[in-house]
PDB file of all heavy atoms in Angstrom:
ATOM      1  N   ARG A   1     186.576  55.936 -55.229  1.00  0.00           N
ATOM      2  CA  ARG A   1     186.037  56.964 -56.136  1.00  0.00           C
ATOM      3  C   ARG A   1     186.710  56.888 -57.499  1.00  0.00           C
ATOM      4  O   ARG A   1     186.045  56.996 -58.537  1.00  0.00           O
ATOM      5  CB  ARG A   1     186.224  58.354 -55.516  1.00  0.00           C
ATOM      6  CG  ARG A   1     185.655  59.460 -56.347  1.00  0.00           C
ATOM      7  CD  ARG A   1     184.134  59.338 -56.471  1.00  0.00           C
ATOM      8  NE  ARG A   1     183.660  60.347 -57.383  1.00  0.00           N
ATOM      9  CZ  ARG A   1     182.795  60.125 -58.363  1.00  0.00           C
ATOM     10  NH1 ARG A   1     182.283  58.934 -58.548  1.00  0.00           N
ATOM     11  NH2 ARG A   1     182.430  61.096 -59.154  1.00  0.00           N
ATOM     12  N   LEU A   2     188.009  56.691 -57.541  1.00  0.00           N
ATOM     13  CA  LEU A   2     188.730  56.596 -58.810  1.00  0.00           C
ATOM     14  C   LEU A   2     188.297  55.358 -59.600  1.00  0.00           C
ATOM     15  O   LEU A   2     188.081  55.435 -60.816  1.00  0.00           O
ATOM     16  CB  LEU A   2     190.241  56.582 -58.571  1.00  0.00           C
ATOM     17  CG  LEU A   2     191.139  56.540 -59.801  1.00  0.00           C
ATOM     18  CD1 LEU A   2     190.817  57.657 -60.795  1.00  0.00           C
ATOM     19  CD2 LEU A   2     192.599  56.590 -59.388  1.00  0.00           C
ATOM     20  N   VAL A   3     188.140  54.224 -58.938  1.00  0.00           N
ATOM     21  CA  VAL A   3     187.664  53.015 -59.617  1.00  0.00           C
ATOM     22  C   VAL A   3     186.269  53.254 -60.181  1.00  0.00           C
ATOM     23  O   VAL A   3     185.964  52.846 -61.304  1.00  0.00           O
ATOM     24  CB  VAL A   3     187.694  51.798 -58.656  1.00  0.00           C
ATOM     25  CG1 VAL A   3     186.958  50.599 -59.252  1.00  0.00           C
ATOM     26  CG2 VAL A   3     189.130  51.426 -58.313  1.00  0.00           C
ATOM     27  N   ASP A   4     185.436  53.936 -59.426  1.00  0.00           N
ATOM     28  CA  ASP A   4     184.088  54.268 -59.893  1.00  0.00           C
ATOM     29  C   ASP A   4     184.144  55.167 -61.123  1.00  0.00           C
ATOM     30  O   ASP A   4     183.437  54.937 -62.111  1.00  0.00           O
ATOM     31  CB  ASP A   4     183.307  54.942 -58.765  1.00  0.00           C
ATOM     32  CG  ASP A   4     181.861  55.204 -59.130  1.00  0.00           C
ATOM     33  OD1 ASP A   4     181.201  54.278 -59.643  1.00  0.00           O
ATOM     34  OD2 ASP A   4     181.388  56.330 -58.889  1.00  0.00           O
ATOM     35  N   VAL A   5     184.977  56.189 -61.093  1.00  0.00           N
ATOM     36  CA  VAL A   5     185.118  57.107 -62.228  1.00  0.00           C
ATOM     37  C   VAL A   5     185.608  56.354 -63.466  1.00  0.00           C
ATOM     38  O   VAL A   5     185.082  56.540 -64.570  1.00  0.00           O
ATOM     39  CB  VAL A   5     186.065  58.283 -61.883  1.00  0.00           C
ATOM     40  CG1 VAL A   5     186.499  59.043 -63.122  1.00  0.00           C
ATOM     41  CG2 VAL A   5     185.391  59.218 -60.884  1.00  0.00           C
ATOM     42  N   LEU A   6     186.586  55.493 -63.294  1.00  0.00           N
ATOM     43  CA  LEU A   6     187.099  54.712 -64.420  1.00  0.00           C
ATOM     44  C   LEU A   6     186.017  53.793 -64.980  1.00  0.00           C
ATOM     45  O   LEU A   6     185.884  53.655 -66.205  1.00  0.00           O
ATOM     46  CB  LEU A   6     188.323  53.892 -63.992  1.00  0.00           C
ATOM     47  CG  LEU A   6     189.586  54.700 -63.721  1.00  0.00           C
ATOM     48  CD1 LEU A   6     190.630  53.839 -63.019  1.00  0.00           C
ATOM     49  CD2 LEU A   6     190.141  55.293 -65.003  1.00  0.00           C
ATOM     50  N   SER A   7     185.233  53.202 -64.109  1.00  0.00           N
ATOM     51  CA  SER A   7     184.165  52.319 -64.553  1.00  0.00           C
ATOM     52  C   SER A   7     183.100  53.070 -65.343  1.00  0.00           C
ATOM     53  O   SER A   7     182.621  52.589 -66.372  1.00  0.00           O
ATOM     54  CB  SER A   7     183.534  51.621 -63.343  1.00  0.00           C
ATOM     55  OG  SER A   7     182.513  50.753 -63.743  1.00  0.00           O
ATOM     56  N   VAL A   8     182.758  54.256 -64.884  1.00  0.00           N
ATOM     57  CA  VAL A   8     181.772  55.074 -65.602  1.00  0.00           C
ATOM     58  C   VAL A   8     182.346  55.541 -66.935  1.00  0.00           C
ATOM     59  O   VAL A   8     181.680  55.478 -67.971  1.00  0.00           O
ATOM     60  CB  VAL A   8     181.319  56.275 -64.738  1.00  0.00           C
ATOM     61  CG1 VAL A   8     180.529  57.281 -65.552  1.00  0.00           C
ATOM     62  CG2 VAL A   8     180.507  55.783 -63.546  1.00  0.00           C
ATOM     63  N   GLU A   9     183.582  56.000 -66.914  1.00  0.00           N
ATOM     64  CA  GLU A   9     184.216  56.509 -68.137  1.00  0.00           C
ATOM     65  C   GLU A   9     184.415  55.416 -69.180  1.00  0.00           C
ATOM     66  O   GLU A   9     184.117  55.604 -70.355  1.00  0.00           O
ATOM     67  CB  GLU A   9     185.579  57.125 -67.818  1.00  0.00           C
ATOM     68  CG  GLU A   9     186.332  57.575 -69.072  1.00  0.00           C
ATOM     69  CD  GLU A   9     187.806  57.848 -68.848  1.00  0.00           C
ATOM     70  OE1 GLU A   9     188.273  57.857 -67.703  1.00  0.00           O
ATOM     71  OE2 GLU A   9     188.501  58.033 -69.865  1.00  0.00           O
ATOM     72  N   LEU A  10     184.917  54.259 -68.750  1.00  0.00           N
ATOM     73  CA  LEU A  10     185.349  53.240 -69.704  1.00  0.00           C
ATOM     74  C   LEU A  10     184.379  52.075 -69.867  1.00  0.00           C
ATOM     75  O   LEU A  10     184.401  51.407 -70.907  1.00  0.00           O
ATOM     76  CB  LEU A  10     186.724  52.705 -69.300  1.00  0.00           C
ATOM     77  CG  LEU A  10     187.851  53.732 -69.309  1.00  0.00           C
ATOM     78  CD1 LEU A  10     189.118  53.129 -68.723  1.00  0.00           C
ATOM     79  CD2 LEU A  10     188.093  54.245 -70.719  1.00  0.00           C
ATOM     80  N   GLY A  11     183.586  51.783 -68.860  1.00  0.00           N
ATOM     81  CA  GLY A  11     182.655  50.659 -68.949  1.00  0.00           C
ATOM     82  C   GLY A  11     183.363  49.362 -69.283  1.00  0.00           C
ATOM     83  O   GLY A  11     184.234  48.916 -68.566  1.00  0.00           O
ATOM     84  N   GLU A  12     183.007  48.770 -70.416  1.00  0.00           N
ATOM     85  CA  GLU A  12     183.594  47.491 -70.844  1.00  0.00           C
ATOM     86  C   GLU A  12     184.931  47.666 -71.571  1.00  0.00           C
ATOM     87  O   GLU A  12     185.520  46.685 -72.008  1.00  0.00           O
ATOM     88  CB  GLU A  12     182.610  46.731 -71.736  1.00  0.00           C
ATOM     89  CG  GLU A  12     181.389  46.217 -71.011  1.00  0.00           C
ATOM     90  CD  GLU A  12     181.732  45.244 -69.875  1.00  0.00           C
ATOM     91  OE1 GLU A  12     182.725  44.493 -69.981  1.00  0.00           O
ATOM     92  OE2 GLU A  12     181.002  45.245 -68.871  1.00  0.00           O
ATOM     93  N   ASN A  13     185.381  48.894 -71.698  1.00  0.00           N
ATOM     94  CA  ASN A  13     186.666  49.153 -72.359  1.00  0.00           C
ATOM     95  C   ASN A  13     187.824  49.025 -71.371  1.00  0.00           C
ATOM     96  O   ASN A  13     187.641  49.077 -70.162  1.00  0.00           O
ATOM     97  CB  ASN A  13     186.670  50.544 -72.997  1.00  0.00           C
ATOM     98  CG  ASN A  13     185.656  50.641 -74.112  1.00  0.00           C
ATOM     99  OD1 ASN A  13     185.599  49.799 -74.994  1.00  0.00           O
ATOM    100  ND2 ASN A  13     184.816  51.664 -74.046  1.00  0.00           N
ATOM    101  N   THR A  14     189.008  48.894 -71.929  1.00  0.00           N
ATOM    102  CA  THR A  14     190.210  48.739 -71.109  1.00  0.00           C
ATOM    103  C   THR A  14     190.895  50.090 -70.895  1.00  0.00           C
ATOM    104  O   THR A  14     190.494  51.105 -71.472  1.00  0.00           O
ATOM    105  CB  THR A  14     191.191  47.758 -71.771  1.00  0.00           C
ATOM    106  OG1 THR A  14     191.589  48.288 -73.029  1.00  0.00           O
ATOM    107  CG2 THR A  14     190.556  46.385 -71.967  1.00  0.00           C
ATOM    108  N   ALA A  15     191.963  50.064 -70.123  1.00  0.00           N
ATOM    109  CA  ALA A  15     192.694  51.292 -69.795  1.00  0.00           C
ATOM    110  C   ALA A  15     193.198  52.014 -71.042  1.00  0.00           C
ATOM    111  O   ALA A  15     193.259  53.244 -71.064  1.00  0.00           O
ATOM    112  CB  ALA A  15     193.859  50.966 -68.869  1.00  0.00           C
ATOM    113  N   GLY A  16     193.546  51.267 -72.065  1.00  0.00           N
ATOM    114  CA  GLY A  16     194.052  51.874 -73.290  1.00  0.00           C
ATOM    115  C   GLY A  16     193.035  52.738 -74.018  1.00  0.00           C
ATOM    116  O   GLY A  16     193.399  53.519 -74.889  1.00  0.00           O
ATOM    117  N   SER A  17     191.777  52.645 -73.649  1.00  0.00           N
ATOM    118  CA  SER A  17     190.723  53.416 -74.310  1.00  0.00           C
ATOM    119  C   SER A  17     190.473  54.779 -73.676  1.00  0.00           C
ATOM    120  O   SER A  17     189.668  55.555 -74.183  1.00  0.00           O
ATOM    121  CB  SER A  17     189.407  52.629 -74.285  1.00  0.00           C
ATOM    122  OG  SER A  17     189.546  51.408 -74.950  1.00  0.00           O
ATOM    123  N   THR A  18     191.147  55.059 -72.592  1.00  0.00           N
ATOM    124  CA  THR A  18     190.876  56.317 -71.889  1.00  0.00           C
ATOM    125  C   THR A  18     191.315  57.528 -72.701  1.00  0.00           C
ATOM    126  O   THR A  18     192.292  57.483 -73.440  1.00  0.00           O
ATOM    127  CB  THR A  18     191.552  56.333 -70.501  1.00  0.00           C
ATOM    128  OG1 THR A  18     191.118  57.505 -69.808  1.00  0.00           O
ATOM    129  CG2 THR A  18     193.061  56.343 -70.611  1.00  0.00           C
ATOM    130  N   ARG A  19     190.576  58.609 -72.535  1.00  0.00           N
ATOM    131  CA  ARG A  19     190.965  59.895 -73.137  1.00  0.00           C
ATOM    132  C   ARG A  19     191.848  60.668 -72.162  1.00  0.00           C
ATOM    133  O   ARG A  19     192.423  61.691 -72.518  1.00  0.00           O
ATOM    134  CB  ARG A  19     189.722  60.724 -73.459  1.00  0.00           C
ATOM    135  CG  ARG A  19     188.832  60.126 -74.527  1.00  0.00           C
ATOM    136  CD  ARG A  19     187.590  60.979 -74.702  1.00  0.00           C
ATOM    137  NE  ARG A  19     187.096  61.372 -73.377  1.00  0.00           N
ATOM    138  CZ  ARG A  19     185.865  61.206 -72.933  1.00  0.00           C
ATOM    139  NH1 ARG A  19     184.968  60.695 -73.693  1.00  0.00           N
ATOM    140  NH2 ARG A  19     185.509  61.567 -71.728  1.00  0.00           N
ATOM    141  N   LEU A  20     191.919  60.179 -70.943  1.00  0.00           N
ATOM    142  CA  LEU A  20     192.696  60.849 -69.901  1.00  0.00           C
ATOM    143  C   LEU A  20     193.697  59.859 -69.302  1.00  0.00           C
ATOM    144  O   LEU A  20     193.469  59.299 -68.222  1.00  0.00           O
ATOM    145  CB  LEU A  20     191.766  61.387 -68.804  1.00  0.00           C
ATOM    146  CG  LEU A  20     190.722  62.403 -69.271  1.00  0.00           C
ATOM    147  CD1 LEU A  20     189.663  62.615 -68.208  1.00  0.00           C
ATOM    148  CD2 LEU A  20     191.397  63.711 -69.630  1.00  0.00           C
ATOM    149  N   PRO A  21     194.818  59.638 -69.987  1.00  0.00           N
ATOM    150  CA  PRO A  21     195.777  58.636 -69.498  1.00  0.00           C
ATOM    151  C   PRO A  21     196.338  58.945 -68.114  1.00  0.00           C
ATOM    152  O   PRO A  21     196.779  58.027 -67.415  1.00  0.00           O
ATOM    153  CB  PRO A  21     196.873  58.637 -70.560  1.00  0.00           C
ATOM    154  CG  PRO A  21     196.669  59.858 -71.371  1.00  0.00           C
ATOM    155  CD  PRO A  21     195.247  60.268 -71.219  1.00  0.00           C
ATOM    156  N   GLU A  22     196.287  60.194 -67.697  1.00  0.00           N
ATOM    157  CA  GLU A  22     196.784  60.528 -66.360  1.00  0.00           C
ATOM    158  C   GLU A  22     195.959  59.840 -65.275  1.00  0.00           C
ATOM    159  O   GLU A  22     196.462  59.577 -64.185  1.00  0.00           O
ATOM    160  CB  GLU A  22     196.856  62.043 -66.132  1.00  0.00           C
ATOM    161  CG  GLU A  22     195.553  62.767 -66.263  1.00  0.00           C
ATOM    162  CD  GLU A  22     195.225  63.248 -67.682  1.00  0.00           C
ATOM    163  OE1 GLU A  22     195.826  62.784 -68.659  1.00  0.00           O
ATOM    164  OE2 GLU A  22     194.327  64.104 -67.810  1.00  0.00           O
ATOM    165  N   ARG A  23     194.703  59.511 -65.567  1.00  0.00           N
ATOM    166  CA  ARG A  23     193.900  58.766 -64.586  1.00  0.00           C
ATOM    167  C   ARG A  23     194.478  57.367 -64.368  1.00  0.00           C
ATOM    168  O   ARG A  23     194.470  56.864 -63.253  1.00  0.00           O
ATOM    169  CB  ARG A  23     192.448  58.647 -65.049  1.00  0.00           C
ATOM    170  CG  ARG A  23     191.638  59.851 -64.756  1.00  0.00           C
ATOM    171  CD  ARG A  23     190.166  59.582 -64.938  1.00  0.00           C
ATOM    172  NE  ARG A  23     189.437  60.816 -64.739  1.00  0.00           N
ATOM    173  CZ  ARG A  23     188.355  61.154 -65.391  1.00  0.00           C
ATOM    174  NH1 ARG A  23     187.838  60.339 -66.288  1.00  0.00           N
ATOM    175  NH2 ARG A  23     187.754  62.285 -65.148  1.00  0.00           N
ATOM    176  N   ILE A  24     194.938  56.751 -65.430  1.00  0.00           N
ATOM    177  CA  ILE A  24     195.516  55.413 -65.321  1.00  0.00           C
ATOM    178  C   ILE A  24     196.839  55.488 -64.545  1.00  0.00           C
ATOM    179  O   ILE A  24     197.128  54.634 -63.701  1.00  0.00           O
ATOM    180  CB  ILE A  24     195.727  54.777 -66.707  1.00  0.00           C
ATOM    181  CG1 ILE A  24     194.427  54.824 -67.534  1.00  0.00           C
ATOM    182  CG2 ILE A  24     196.262  53.354 -66.580  1.00  0.00           C
ATOM    183  CD1 ILE A  24     193.216  54.199 -66.886  1.00  0.00           C
ATOM    184  N   ILE A  25     197.605  56.533 -64.825  1.00  0.00           N
ATOM    185  CA  ILE A  25     198.869  56.732 -64.098  1.00  0.00           C
ATOM    186  C   ILE A  25     198.578  56.979 -62.620  1.00  0.00           C
ATOM    187  O   ILE A  25     199.223  56.392 -61.748  1.00  0.00           O
ATOM    188  CB  ILE A  25     199.676  57.895 -64.717  1.00  0.00           C
ATOM    189  CG1 ILE A  25     200.111  57.505 -66.129  1.00  0.00           C
ATOM    190  CG2 ILE A  25     200.867  58.275 -63.842  1.00  0.00           C
ATOM    191  CD1 ILE A  25     200.626  58.646 -66.962  1.00  0.00           C
ATOM    192  N   ASP A  26     197.593  57.825 -62.335  1.00  0.00           N
ATOM    193  CA  ASP A  26     197.198  58.081 -60.949  1.00  0.00           C
ATOM    194  C   ASP A  26     196.750  56.787 -60.272  1.00  0.00           C
ATOM    195  O   ASP A  26     197.116  56.512 -59.130  1.00  0.00           O
ATOM    196  CB  ASP A  26     196.057  59.096 -60.876  1.00  0.00           C
ATOM    197  CG  ASP A  26     196.480  60.509 -61.213  1.00  0.00           C
ATOM    198  OD1 ASP A  26     197.702  60.775 -61.278  1.00  0.00           O
ATOM    199  OD2 ASP A  26     195.586  61.346 -61.429  1.00  0.00           O
ATOM    200  N   PHE A  27     195.949  56.013 -60.985  1.00  0.00           N
ATOM    201  CA  PHE A  27     195.449  54.750 -60.445  1.00  0.00           C
ATOM    202  C   PHE A  27     196.613  53.829 -60.075  1.00  0.00           C
ATOM    203  O   PHE A  27     196.672  53.309 -58.955  1.00  0.00           O
ATOM    204  CB  PHE A  27     194.529  54.078 -61.471  1.00  0.00           C
ATOM    205  CG  PHE A  27     194.093  52.704 -61.088  1.00  0.00           C
ATOM    206  CD1 PHE A  27     193.120  52.513 -60.115  1.00  0.00           C
ATOM    207  CD2 PHE A  27     194.646  51.590 -61.682  1.00  0.00           C
ATOM    208  CE1 PHE A  27     192.722  51.235 -59.746  1.00  0.00           C
ATOM    209  CE2 PHE A  27     194.257  50.311 -61.332  1.00  0.00           C
ATOM    210  CZ  PHE A  27     193.290  50.134 -60.363  1.00  0.00           C
ATOM    211  N   ALA A  28     197.540  53.639 -60.988  1.00  0.00           N
ATOM    212  CA  ALA A  28     198.689  52.758 -60.735  1.00  0.00           C
ATOM    213  C   ALA A  28     199.526  53.283 -59.567  1.00  0.00           C
ATOM    214  O   ALA A  28     199.980  52.502 -58.717  1.00  0.00           O
ATOM    215  CB  ALA A  28     199.546  52.630 -61.995  1.00  0.00           C
TER     216      ALA A  28
END
């Protein structure tokens, strides 16, 4: 579910483009 959310949110963008960095921290 988290990978899906990140894919929808960011698409072709990388982790650095997120508006919610806590998602990247949660993912890691």
